[in-house]
Amino acid sequence: MAEIVHDLSQPLTALTNYLAAMQVAIDHGDPCKTIANLLGSAVGETTRARAVVDRLRDALAR
C-alpha cells in the first residue's frame, strides 16, 4: 500500500508544482512557449498518475 501512495504522490506533487509555475509565468507575462512546456509536463504527470490508478484497479479486480 505504501508503494501505491508513493507512486501517486509523486506525479500529483509534480502536477501541483507545474501548475504553480504556470501561474507564476502568467503573472509575470512570460511567453506562451514557457507555459506550453509546463502544460505539457503537467499532462505527462496526470497520465502517470492515471497509470497508477489503473494498476491499482487491476490489482483489486484480481
Side-chain angles (χ1 to χ4, degrees):
M1 182 61 102
E3 180 183 347
I4 293 169
V5 170
H6 174 75
D7 287 351
L8 262 179
S9 291
Q10 280 188 323
L12 293 175
T13 299
L15 178 59
T16 299
N17 292 337
Y18 287 129
L19 293 172
M22 278 188 263
Q23 186 63 58
V24 169
I26 290 167
D27 290 346
H28 289 98
D30 281 355
C32 291
K33 185 175 180 180
T34 299
I35 296 169
N37 288 338
L38 290 166
L39 185 57
S41 296
V43 169
E45 293 301 330
T46 58
T47 301
R48 184 174 161 201
R50 179 60 196 200
V52 173
V53 171
D54 288 345
R55 286 196 322 265
L56 177 60
R57 184 189 64 228
D58 292 346
L60 293 173
R62 294 182 204 157

